Amino acid sequence: MNRNAMREQAFFLTFENLFEINDNLDELISLYSDNVEEVCDYAKSLSSGIKEKTDELNEIISTYSKSWKVSRLPRVTLAILYVALYEIIYVENVPENVAINEAVELAKKYASTNDASFINGILGAYSRGR
């Protein structure tokens, strides 16, 4: 499985976890593995890290999102931002520009063009402000 597919799995798990139907990430991973495909270690690591750092990630998003509160963002957009920000901050072997580009591509695939631009703006501003 390539890194794009691993990142997409992490996005799916993060998105699903935003609904808080099942707050137990291990159960969600098991359910996903049983019904879709086996979850790779990278996606598990990202998803659990995102869950642990959600408050910090929300604070970053709030800082750089001038027009939208985190609570008002579409869950798809939020999940994509979480994955990208987590990779930028905590995954050493993923360059910032790669994480940003992959986030924009996920947005183009699963969200709208406006969401892709919004995500690119937030992540670009964060990257420049680091």
Side-chain angles (χ1 to χ4, degrees), residues 11 21 27 38 64 74 78 82 123:
F11 159 70
I21 294 168
E27 286 181 31
E38 189 65 33
Y64 291 95
L78 197 54
Y82 285 163
L123 296 175

Side-chain angles (χ1 to χ4, degrees), residues 90-128:
Y90 296 105
V91 182
E92 290 181 19
N93 63 347
V94 176
E96 288 183 20
N97 62 329
V98 171
I100 294 169
N101 185 58
E102 290 292 324
V104 170
E105 292 304 315
L106 279 172
K108 287 178 183 176
K109 187 173 180 179
Y110 295 105
S112 73
T113 304
N114 291 341
D115 291 330
S117 297
F118 177 79
I119 287 168
N120 189 47
I122 296 291
L123 296 175
Y126 174 73
S127 180
R128 287 186 300 276

Side-chain angles (χ1 to χ4, degrees), residues 1-129:
M1 178 178 289
N2 66 29
R3 185 65 68 107
N4 297 27
M6 292 182 217
R7 190 175 285 111
E8 192 170 35
Q9 272 191 348
F11 159 70
F12 290 147
L13 292 170
T14 301
F15 175 74
E16 182 71 29
N17 202 46
L18 288 174
F19 288 92
E20 298 183 46
I21 294 168
N22 183 351
D23 201 34
N24 186 331
L25 186 59
D26 290 333
E27 286 181 31
L28 182 60
I29 289 169
S30 177
L31 192 72
Y32 187 92
S33 294
D34 291 345
N35 293 300
V36 182
E37 65 184 336
E38 189 65 33
V39 177
C40 68
D41 290 340
Y42 186 74
K44 289 176 187 175
S45 174
L46 283 182
S47 299
S48 63
I50 290 165
K51 186 171 178 150
E52 182 180 310
K53 300 291 186 180
T54 299
D55 291 338
E56 177 184 337
L57 299 174
N58 282 339
E59 189 174 313
I60 291 168
I61 295 166
S62 292
T63 299
Y64 291 95
S65 175
K66 303 297 182 208
S67 57
W68 290 89
K69 292 183 179 185
V70 172
S71 62
R72 301 278 306 177
L73 290 174
R75 289 179 180 151
V76 169
T77 301
L78 197 54
I80 293 168
L81 284 168
Y82 285 163
V83 170
L85 285 169
Y86 189 84
E87 282 188 311
I88 290 169
I89 298 167
Y90 296 105
V91 182
E92 290 181 19
N93 63 347
V94 176
E96 288 183 20
N97 62 329
V98 171
I100 294 169
N101 185 58
E102 290 292 324
V104 170
E105 292 304 315
L106 279 172
K108 287 178 183 176
K109 187 173 180 179
Y110 295 105
S112 73
T113 304
N114 291 341
D115 291 330
S117 297
F118 177 79
I119 287 168
N120 189 47
I122 296 291
L123 296 175
Y126 174 73
S127 180
R128 287 186 300 276

